[in-house]
Amino acid sequence: MRWGGGLRRYKNNQLSHWWQHSHTSSIRMLDSVMDVLQGFGVSSTNYLQSHYQDAKGLFLWVSWAADLRNTFFIFFPLWFHLRASVGIKLIWVAVIGDWLNLVFKWILFGERPYWWVHETPYYASSVRPHIEQYPMTCETGPGSPSGHAMGAAGVYYTLVTSILVFTASKKKHGSRKSNNTSRSLYLRVVLWTLFWAVQVCVCLSRVFIAAHFPHQVVAGVITGMLVAEAFNRTQWIYNASMKKYFYTTLLLTSFAVGFYLLLKAVGVDLLWTLEKAQKWCVNSEWVHLDSTPFASLLRNMGTLFGLGLGLHSPLYMETKKSSSKAVKAVCIVSTLVLLHLFDSFKPPTHTIALFYLLSFCKSATVPLVTVSIIPYCVSGALGLHTKKAV
């Protein structure tokens, strides 16, 4: 019996030792693979900055244009007034995609080139490459997958597929089938070519400014397209009640905050990247509070909640039946101008809690103004309310 028990303990110890060794070897192998990937990424950034410095202005503009803020302040107002269903889907794709991006970043612990190049032992036996930083470089969240690439892929995939569905429905009423087929094929080629051109530009811009590694932007494009395709197959969002908007906002916020608190309780600091950004960014003014994970979370939740408020507002109920092209044109121009002015308001950052609260409120105001307040005011100015009453 003693001999048998000793043998079992010996086997268990051997098995435990083998598992620990295997686990350690797997981690080292994974670290080696990531070092190679990230080393290639830094080399790519160094190459782009060395050979395409003249295109710096273009790359910076592309990174600015790919920010989801432009989806909320430009694409959504434009498309909502042209075709409400597309505008609604844009918000859902952008918000849910960015929420998933936040969760993925917290799970994957992705590095960013501008701090990794200074801390990694990968260059211990070679010259450490020098990479430039720019005002958009010093983002404070983890790097994988790229939020800009994921957002751009999701938004433009939604726009391309929505346009193709719309033109396909119009084609059914056409008389010349062969002519319509050739036009449809031409439109598909043009739109998908533009889509991939945008994705390549966004990916290159994020690598150029040293905000992301190449594998992070590729992962962002793939996940963004998957999110958009999922919402292409989802219909309930167009008729969602205010209760669904409220509970969805509450659920997503609670999950993210709960996940953060849970990992913090077991000793995992999900805000580890903020310290790295503050340490390695060459200009402290480039480290912005609005690029932190919680700022992104509350901005997106505010947008989704504001969309629900707008769609269920009595003002929207009064004006949604108006399909006049003149009214739509005035609504688009008025909304874009007003939101441009509104975007100049920046919440104060001296108190973090106040900053987050005002960010939520500001984000909720954007769809609320777009969906209900502006159309109601335009209809009133054009005398449509009076005509309906008569």
Coordinates of all heavy atoms in Angstrom, one line a residue, residues 3 28 53 77 79 92 95 134 137 170-171 209-210 234 245 257 268 305 324 334 341 349 354-355 364 372:
W3 N 4.0 1.4 -0.9 CA 4.7 1.5 -2.2 C 3.8 2.0 -3.3 O 4.2 2.9 -4.1 CB 5.1 0.0 -2.6 CG 5.9 0.0 -3.9 CD1 7.2 0.3 -4.1 CD2 5.4 -0.3 -5.2 NE1 7.5 0.2 -5.4 CE2 6.4 -0.2 -6.1 CE3 4.1 -0.7 -5.6 CZ2 6.2 -0.4 -7.4 CZ3 3.9 -0.9 -7.0 CH2 5.0 -0.8 -7.9
R28 N 6.8 30.9 -23.4 CA 8.0 31.4 -24.1 C 7.9 31.4 -25.6 O 8.4 32.3 -26.3 CB 9.2 30.6 -23.6 CG 9.6 30.8 -22.1 CD 10.8 29.9 -21.7 NE 11.2 30.2 -20.4 CZ 12.1 29.4 -19.7 NH1 12.6 28.4 -20.3 NH2 12.4 29.7 -18.5
Q53 N 7.8 60.1 -45.6 CA 7.6 61.2 -44.7 C 6.8 62.3 -45.3 O 6.1 63.1 -44.7 CB 9.0 61.7 -44.2 CG 8.9 62.7 -43.1 CD 8.3 62.2 -41.8 OE1 7.5 62.9 -41.2 NE2 8.7 61.0 -41.5
P77 N -25.7 61.5 -39.1 CA -26.7 62.5 -39.5 C -27.0 62.5 -41.0 O -28.1 62.6 -41.4 CB -26.0 63.8 -39.1 CG -25.0 63.5 -38.1 CD -24.5 62.1 -38.5
W79 N -26.7 59.9 -43.2 CA -27.5 58.7 -43.7 C -28.8 58.6 -43.0 O -29.8 58.0 -43.6 CB -26.6 57.5 -43.5 CG -25.6 57.3 -44.6 CD1 -24.3 57.7 -44.6 CD2 -25.9 56.8 -45.9 NE1 -23.8 57.4 -45.8 CE2 -24.7 56.9 -46.6 CE3 -27.1 56.3 -46.5 CZ2 -24.6 56.5 -48.0 CZ3 -27.0 55.9 -47.8 CH2 -25.8 55.9 -48.5
W92 N -25.5 51.2 -34.3 CA -25.4 49.9 -33.7 C -24.0 49.2 -34.0 O -23.4 48.6 -33.1 CB -26.5 49.0 -34.0 CG -27.8 49.2 -33.3 CD1 -28.8 50.1 -33.6 CD2 -28.1 48.7 -32.0 NE1 -29.8 50.1 -32.6 CE2 -29.4 49.2 -31.6 CE3 -27.5 47.8 -31.1 CZ2 -30.0 48.9 -30.4 CZ3 -28.2 47.4 -29.9 CH2 -29.4 48.0 -29.6
V95 N -21.2 51.2 -32.2 CA -21.2 51.1 -30.8 C -20.9 49.7 -30.3 O -20.0 49.5 -29.4 CB -22.6 51.5 -30.2 CG1 -22.7 51.1 -28.7 CG2 -22.8 53.0 -30.3
Y134 N 3.6 61.2 -33.1 CA 2.8 62.3 -33.6 C 1.7 62.6 -32.6 O 1.4 61.8 -31.7 CB 2.2 62.0 -35.0 CG 3.3 61.7 -36.0 CD1 3.7 60.3 -36.2 CD2 4.0 62.7 -36.7 CE1 4.7 60.0 -37.1 CE2 5.0 62.4 -37.5 CZ 5.4 61.0 -37.8 OH 6.4 60.7 -38.7
T137 N -0.4 59.6 -31.9 CA 0.3 58.3 -31.5 C -0.1 57.8 -30.1 O -0.3 56.6 -29.9 CB 1.8 58.6 -31.6 OG1 2.2 58.9 -33.0 CG2 2.5 57.3 -31.2
K170 N -34.0 48.5 -56.2 CA -34.5 49.3 -57.3 C -34.4 48.6 -58.6 O -35.2 48.9 -59.5 CB -33.7 50.6 -57.3 CG -33.9 51.6 -56.2 CD -33.2 52.9 -56.3 CE -33.7 53.7 -57.5 NZ -33.0 55.0 -57.7
K171 N -33.4 47.7 -58.8 CA -33.2 47.0 -60.0 C -34.4 46.2 -60.4 O -34.7 46.0 -61.6 CB -31.9 46.2 -59.9 CG -31.5 45.6 -61.3 CD -30.3 44.8 -61.1 CE -30.5 43.5 -60.3 NZ -29.4 42.6 -60.3
I209 N 2.0 56.1 -37.8 CA 2.1 56.9 -36.6 C 2.5 56.1 -35.4 O 2.6 56.7 -34.3 CB 0.8 57.7 -36.3 CG1 -0.3 56.7 -35.9 CG2 0.4 58.5 -37.5 CD1 -1.6 57.4 -35.5
A210 N 2.8 54.9 -35.5 CA 3.3 54.0 -34.4 C 2.3 53.8 -33.3 O 2.6 53.5 -32.2 CB 4.6 54.6 -33.8
T234 N -29.4 41.2 -38.8 CA -30.2 41.5 -37.6 C -31.3 42.5 -37.9 O -31.0 43.6 -38.5 CB -29.3 42.1 -36.4 OG1 -28.3 41.1 -36.2 CG2 -30.1 42.3 -35.2
Y245 N -33.4 49.6 -25.5 CA -32.2 50.5 -25.6 C -31.7 50.8 -24.2 O -30.4 50.7 -24.0 CB -32.6 51.9 -26.2 CG -32.6 51.9 -27.7 CD1 -33.7 51.7 -28.5 CD2 -31.4 52.1 -28.4 CE1 -33.6 51.7 -29.9 CE2 -31.3 52.2 -29.7 CZ -32.4 51.9 -30.5 OH -32.4 51.9 -31.9
V257 N -17.8 47.3 -16.7 CA -17.3 47.7 -15.4 C -17.1 46.5 -14.5 O -16.1 46.5 -13.7 CB -18.3 48.7 -14.8 CG1 -17.9 49.1 -13.3 CG2 -18.4 50.0 -15.6
V268 N -5.2 42.1 -11.5 CA -4.9 42.4 -12.9 C -5.4 43.9 -13.1 O -6.5 44.2 -13.0 CB -5.6 41.5 -13.9 CG1 -5.3 42.0 -15.4 CG2 -5.2 40.1 -13.7
F305 N -27.8 55.2 -26.1 CA -29.0 55.6 -25.3 C -29.6 56.8 -25.9 O -30.9 56.9 -26.0 CB -28.5 55.9 -23.9 CG -29.6 56.2 -22.9 CD1 -30.5 55.2 -22.5 CD2 -29.8 57.5 -22.4 CE1 -31.5 55.5 -21.7 CE2 -30.8 57.8 -21.5 CZ -31.7 56.8 -21.1
S324 N -40.2 64.9 -47.7 CA -39.9 65.9 -48.6 C -38.3 66.0 -48.8 O -37.6 66.0 -47.8 CB -40.4 67.2 -48.2 OG -39.9 68.3 -49.0
S334 N -28.5 71.5 -41.6 CA -28.6 72.1 -40.2 C -27.9 71.2 -39.2 O -27.3 71.7 -38.3 CB -30.1 72.3 -39.9 OG -30.8 73.1 -40.8
L341 N -20.5 72.7 -34.5 CA -20.3 73.7 -33.4 C -20.3 73.0 -32.0 O -19.6 73.4 -31.1 CB -21.4 74.7 -33.5 CG -21.4 75.6 -34.8 CD1 -22.7 76.5 -34.8 CD2 -20.2 76.4 -34.9
T349 N -11.4 68.2 -17.9 CA -10.7 67.0 -17.5 C -10.1 67.1 -16.1 O -9.5 66.1 -15.7 CB -9.5 66.7 -18.5 OG1 -8.6 67.8 -18.5 CG2 -10.1 66.5 -19.9
L354 N -16.5 63.9 -13.5 CA -17.3 64.9 -14.2 C -17.0 64.8 -15.7 O -18.0 64.9 -16.5 CB -16.9 66.3 -13.7 CG -17.6 67.5 -14.4 CD1 -19.1 67.4 -14.2 CD2 -17.0 68.8 -13.9
F355 N -15.8 64.5 -16.1 CA -15.5 64.3 -17.5 C -16.2 63.1 -18.1 O -16.8 63.3 -19.2 CB -14.0 64.0 -17.6 CG -13.5 63.7 -19.0 CD1 -13.4 64.7 -20.0 CD2 -13.3 62.3 -19.4 CE1 -13.0 64.3 -21.3 CE2 -12.9 62.0 -20.7 CZ -12.8 63.0 -21.6
A364 N -24.9 61.4 -25.9 CA -26.3 61.1 -26.0 C -27.1 62.2 -26.7 O -28.1 62.0 -27.4 CB -26.9 60.9 -24.6
S372 N -34.5 63.8 -33.6 CA -35.8 64.5 -33.2 C -35.8 66.0 -33.2 O -36.7 66.6 -33.8 CB -36.3 63.9 -31.9 OG -35.3 64.2 -30.9

